[in-house]
Structures are given as structure tokens and as C-alpha cells.
Amino acid sequence: MAAGDYTVFAWNGTDAPRKRLDLPGYPDRQKPEALLPLDETADGQRVLVFFDGPKEGAPRPVVLPR
């Protein structure tokens, strides 16, 4: 996988994983590492993306489309 190219998938434990969102490229030392679900909106599921590298994970909100 090239640096900065990341995708979020959903998996229900049975069916094939389903692509939810391609994340934008991030600087070299910032690699998405964890998601924290926040809530559901009309647009989709709002999550915080935490990164490996930046201080305290530098969380950023992202909406995963339905």
C-alpha cells in the first residue's frame, strides 16, 4: 500500500467487506490507525480517525457514507 492511501471497509462477519470511504492522503508520518464511532447522521456514520505518529493521535472527524 502506498503511503497516504487508505480505505475504510465495513464487515458484518459473514459477507464480503464493503467499502465505505477512501481517506485522503496524509503526510508521511501520519498513518490512520483507529476509528472511534461517534453517531449516525442523515449523511452516514460520523467517526473520529486517530493517527499513528502525531501527538495524542491528532483525531479528525470523518463521515462514512451509508
Side-chain angles (χ1 to χ4, degrees), residues 7-21:
T7 302
V8 177
F9 287 87
W11 184 52
N12 66 10
T14 304
D15 301 319
R18 180 174 61 94
K19 182 176 170 179
R20 296 285 303 269
L21 179 69

